[in-house]
Structure formats: structure tokens, C-alpha cells
Amino acid sequence: MTDNINSSHLTCNVNKDLEPLTYFYWIIFLVGFFGSCFALWAFNRKDSSQKCTNVYLINLLVADLLLTLALPFKIVVDLGLASWNLKIFHCQVTACMIYINMYISIIFLGFVSMDRCLQTIQSSKLYQIQKRGFATMLSVVVWALVLCIMLPNMIIPIKDIPEQEGVGCIDFKQKIGRDWHLLSNFISLAIFLNCTCIILISNCITINRLYKNKDGEEFNNIKASLVKIFLITAGYIVCFLPYHIVRIPYTLSQNDVITDCSLKEVLFLAKESTLLLSISNLCFDPIVYFYFSKSFRTRVTKTFSMKKEVKPVDSENTETAV
């Protein structure tokens, strides 16, 4: 089996030319790290008026913090600077953490959009599912579901492969690991498709309700809300749609359903490029916090308004001294 892996990678080594992408990963990591830390600080206060949207956003933030822990490992591995054991650790653990973040983010963005839609409808029949307790219970179920899908990719035993160039994460997996990897990819795709439908339908209903009131007294507020919804929807599509278009043919190439080496190289680079877009949601999420959480927006506004108020005081003191 090892000889087959060796000969396969000698003839078709797709795990290369990743260094240019690592510079973008560093930028995303730095922006996302500071954005997530600020969001953690902003959310870190007791607020009895928190609605279920805040519960979903806090779960989104936890997923982002996991991604900030995993991203440096991917950067080091892609640069070719990682030791063999560190590469194995990345393939078994931190690479899976990246995908946990992706699907947790997708699911909770779907919940945020749905909750915003329910707020617009304002139906008393739907009031129970907008309570914080229900949102907390639903969050626990979501984490359990995603971890059940992803954790086997971490804990299923791997092959003992001698150190060599061109070995990808898939090559460490035994047959049962490859089979679960394939199954988890299709389950993840189903999650993406369902959440995308929820987001698009919810946002369309919300836009329709808001647009009907465009001639009212609160036109400016409605216009601002419409812009926010369009931005959130566009950001979601840009981040996650390209990756899931590429994911199926790339998975087939991993399992040698697609055997042409040049096509495998194209699919690998396409997967890595679109994965970069998906990971860029780390920079996109703080915008979601700002638009959808009143407590977060209030904390941010107060922080920066306080900084602006300090400057005139300092200048007045200077003039008095002169």
C-alpha cells in the first residue's frame, strides 16, 4: 500500500504551489483575530434583555475563535515549514476544526436570518421559538450534530506513512476513514443547501415585508435594513457558494473517481482558493454582529464615541494652559 502511495504521488503531486495563498490567510487571521477578540469583549457583559439572535451570534463567535486557533497550523503546513508530526496533527485535528467552523457558521447564519424574518412577521404563534431558552437548546443540538459528523474524521485511526513529499491529508486515512470522509462531505453539502434555502427564503420574506412599508414614516430605517440584508446575503453567497460548487468534483478526485492528474491539480487549486473565501467569513462575521445585535452595536458605538469625546477635552486643557 505504501509503495502505491509513493508511486501515485511521484506521478501526480497536487499538494503544491500553496505559498501565495498563505499571505491572504495571514491577513484573514489577523483581521479575524482582532475582530473576534473585540466581539468577545463586546459580548462579555450580562444583558438580561438578550434575545435569541444574540445566542446564535455568540455561538457564531465561539466557532470563529476555534478557527483562529486552527488557522496558524494550516498556514505553517501550507508553507512547508511544519514537521511531519505537526502535519499529521493538522490533518487529524485542526483541518477538521476549520470545517466545524464553516458549518457552524452556515447553520447559525441561517438561524439569524430566520429569527430576523420572524421578528418582521411578528406572529404570536411563533413566539415560543424566539425565546432564549429555545435558542440555547437548539444551539446545543447543532453543536452535537456537527461534532458527530466531524469528530470521526479526527478519531478514526490513520495509516503509518513514512515521511515524504506530496502526501495529502486524505492519504493518511484508512478505507473506513475515506468512506466516512466521503459521507461527511455529502452530509455537509446537504446542510449547506438547506441553510442556504432558509437564508434566501427568510431574507426574501423580510425584504418583501419591509418593502411594503417603504412609503411610511420610517423610510430611512427601512432602507438601511434592506441594505444590511442585501449585504449579509451577498457576503454569505460569496464566502460559501464557490467552495460547495467545487467540493463534489474535488472529493471525487480524492477518491480516484477522477484520475486525470492535470484535472486533479486544477480541482485542488480550486478547492484551496474557494476554501480561502470560506475562511474569509472570519472577517465577515463582525459585520453580522454589528448589524444584528443591538447590544453589540451599542457597545461599539459607546466605545468609539467615548474616544471622540476625549479629544476636545484635551484640546481645551491645552488652550487653558497656554
Side-chain angles (χ1 to χ4, degrees):
M1 181 65 71
T2 303
D3 293 337
N4 291 336
I5 292 173
N6 288 336
S7 60
S8 172
H9 283 282
L10 283 173
T11 56
C12 188
N13 176 15
V14 299
N15 299 288
K16 57 185 180 180
D17 300 328
L18 294 177
E19 183 176 352
L21 294 178
T22 59
Y23 301 114
F24 293 102
Y25 279 121
W26 272 120
I27 295 171
I28 291 170
F29 170 73
L30 292 173
V31 174
F33 175 76
F34 288 111
S36 296
C37 287
F38 184 83
L40 182 64
W41 171 79
F43 278 122
N44 188 26
R45 66 171 183 173
K46 293 182 180 179
D47 187 356
S48 59
S49 65
Q50 280 187 346
K51 296 182 179 180
C52 62
T53 299
N54 278 41
V55 175
Y56 300 143
L57 293 177
I58 289 170
N59 280 276
L60 192 60
L61 174 58
V62 172
D64 286 347
L65 291 171
L66 283 177
L67 181 57
T68 59
L69 294 176
L71 205 50
F73 290 93
K74 177 171 177 56
I75 293 170
V76 172
V77 170
D78 287 353
L79 283 172
L81 302 176
S83 64
W84 187 248
N85 288 333
L86 184 59
K87 182 172 183 177
I88 293 173
F89 176 78
H90 169 67
C91 288
Q92 277 196 284
V93 179
T94 54
C96 294
M97 287 171 62
I98 291 172
Y99 291 104
I100 289 172
N101 162 267
M102 182 186 299
Y103 291 101
I104 288 291
S105 297
I106 287 171
I107 292 170
F108 282 107
L109 284 171
F111 287 163
V112 168
S113 295
M114 182 176 65
D115 184 66
R116 181 62 180 264
C117 177
L118 294 178
Q119 289 178 32
T120 306
I121 295 174
Q122 295 180 340
S123 173
S124 58
K125 295 180 181 179
L126 301 172
Y127 177 71
Q128 292 297 324
I129 66 175
Q130 290 183 275
K131 288 186 175 181
R132 188 178 179 185
F134 180 85
T136 302
M137 180 188 68
L138 191 59
S139 300
V140 172
V141 172
V142 167
W143 278 98
L145 172 65
V146 174
L147 290 176
C148 284
I149 296 169
M150 298 299 175
L151 280 182
N153 289 314
M154 294 186 186
I155 62 179
I156 292 175
I158 62 172
K159 296 176 184 176
D160 184 15
I161 300 177
E163 184 174 349
Q164 57 190 295
E165 291 185 2
V167 175
C169 290
I170 192 68
D171 300 311
F172 290 105
K173 295 182 182 295
Q174 300 184 34
K175 185 179 185 303
I176 186 173
R178 283 174 173 259
D179 290 343
W180 184 263
H181 175 73
L182 182 64
L183 177 62
S184 64
N185 281 338
F186 282 106
I187 294 174
S188 300
L189 180 63
I191 290 173
F192 168 74
L193 292 175
N194 280 279
C195 289
T196 301
C197 289
I198 290 172
I199 289 172
L200 293 179
I201 292 172
S202 297
N203 287 348
C204 285
I205 293 172
T206 304
I207 289 170
N208 183 52
R209 286 295 182 108
L210 290 174
Y211 193 76
K212 286 181 178 179
N213 298 321
K214 64 182 178 65
D215 297 325
E217 296 179 356
E218 298 184 353
F219 171 74
N220 289 332
N221 291 334
I222 291 173
K223 184 178 179 181
S225 297
L226 289 171
V227 171
K228 293 172 188 177
I229 294 170
F230 279 122
L231 285 175
I232 298 300
T233 306
Y236 174 87
I237 292 172
V238 169
C239 285
F240 298 115
L241 182 61
Y243 173 80
H244 287 88
I245 291 174
V246 171
R247 185 66 201 183
I248 292 179
Y250 174 71
T251 301
L252 295 177
S253 72
Q254 280 184 307
N255 289 272
D256 292 327
V257 176
I258 295 175
T259 56
D260 182 72
C261 185
S262 60
L263 182 54
K264 280 189 173 186
E265 290 179 357
V266 170
L267 288 172
F268 176 75
L269 291 175
K271 188 269 294 186
E272 287 295 324
S273 300
T274 54
L275 180 62
L276 177 66
L277 285 176
S278 294
I279 291 176
S280 68
N281 83 88
L282 194 60
C283 306
F284 169 69
D285 286 345
I287 301 173
V288 178
Y289 306 146
F290 185 83
Y291 281 151
F292 285 93
S293 172
K294 184 177 180 180
S295 60
F296 179 84
R297 188 164 58 250
T298 302
R299 193 71 178 266
V300 172
T301 305
K302 285 183 178 179
T303 301
F304 287 99
S305 62
M306 285 172 62
K307 289 181 178 180
K308 288 179 180 179
E309 289 173 3
V310 170
K311 292 182 179 180
V313 173
D314 291 341
S315 61
E316 287 174 8
N317 291 337
T318 304
E319 290 175 1
T320 304
V322 174

